[in-house]
Amino acid sequence: MTTILITGANRGIGLEFVRQYADEGAKVHACCRNPDKADDLKALKGDITLHALDVTDVAAIKALSKDINEPFDILIVNAGHGTRGEGDFGDLDYEVWKKFLDVNLYGAVATAEAFAPQVKKAKGKIAFLSSKMGSIEDASGGAMAYRTSKTALNMASKVVAAALAASGVAVGVFHPGWVKTDMGGPSALIDTQTSVSGLRDQISKLKPGSSLHLVAYDGDIIPW
């Protein structure tokens, strides 16, 4: 049986990851801040175990890692903070910016670091959910905090991949597309089913030690 841990699993892309993997018979550890309020997640069928986890709490991440002592075939680092509230250049809210870094960078790396032993046991895969908005070459104006947090995550993913290559762990970093979620909004181009189906296909292709690229859900390579 494939065993998977997913953060940010209560809505949007994370919820759809849980749904699709569970439908195929995987054992899924689904993490979110408030499982008691995650009605859509609790309604899903399959071998799904819910865990309370705030990825800004590094001690809580480490504690959960100690509680789940089994190999993970796939770790999906999905929990993220959206693109609103940081202000524009000239009127940036630096406290909000710290929140973006806490979730999108520190929380993501802390999750990978804490659960790396479980992934190593399975010689499994770590998938970081990033964004095209973190691409320096593709950058435009606005969303300073979100963009920089994802750019930093892209670099961190390269470092993690190098650190784990010798242990047989494959690492990937992915752009899910512009998805119709609370973050993406109703004008987005694709639904969660399309995004996650494509992402799962890309994750299945990951191999340890291969060159890391920012890869879109449809396989397109996005410039760093």
Side-chain angles (χ1 to χ4, degrees), residues 43-68:
L44 296 181
K45 305 298 183 183
D47 189 353
I48 304 168
T49 303
L50 274 60
H51 304 277
L53 183 65
D54 181 343
V55 299
T56 66
D57 186 340
V58 175
I61 297 172
K62 292 179 178 179
L64 183 60
S65 175
K66 291 180 180 178
D67 288 342
I68 309 176

Side-chain angles (χ1 to χ4, degrees), residues 173-188:
V173 57
F174 300 100
H175 167 58
W178 186 14
V179 188
K180 293 177 181 178
T181 62
D182 290 345
M183 185 184 299
S187 299

Side-chain angles (χ1 to χ4, degrees), residues 78-160:
N78 169 71
H81 192 56
T83 59
R84 302 180 183 92
E86 72 264 41
D88 296 321
F89 183 73
D91 189 28
L92 290 169
D93 188 326
Y94 287 86
E95 290 303 314
V96 174
W97 197 342
K98 290 177 183 177
K99 176 68 172 179
F100 278 87
L101 293 171
D102 280 344
V103 178
N104 295 347
L105 176 60
Y106 309 140
V109 175
T111 299
E113 188 174 39
F115 290 106
Q118 287 91 327
V119 183
K120 286 179 181 179
K121 288 179 182 177
K123 295 189 182 299
K125 303 174 181 182
I126 298 177
F128 291 100
L129 268 290
S130 184
S131 173
K132 183 179 182 179
M133 291 180 72
S135 167
I136 294 174
E137 186 170 335
D138 190 67
S140 58
M144 172 79 80
Y146 182 77
R147 289 180 185 279
T148 56
S149 68
K150 291 300 188 179
T151 303
L153 174 61
N154 293 345
M155 173 58 80
S157 69
K158 294 274 275 188
V159 177
V160 172

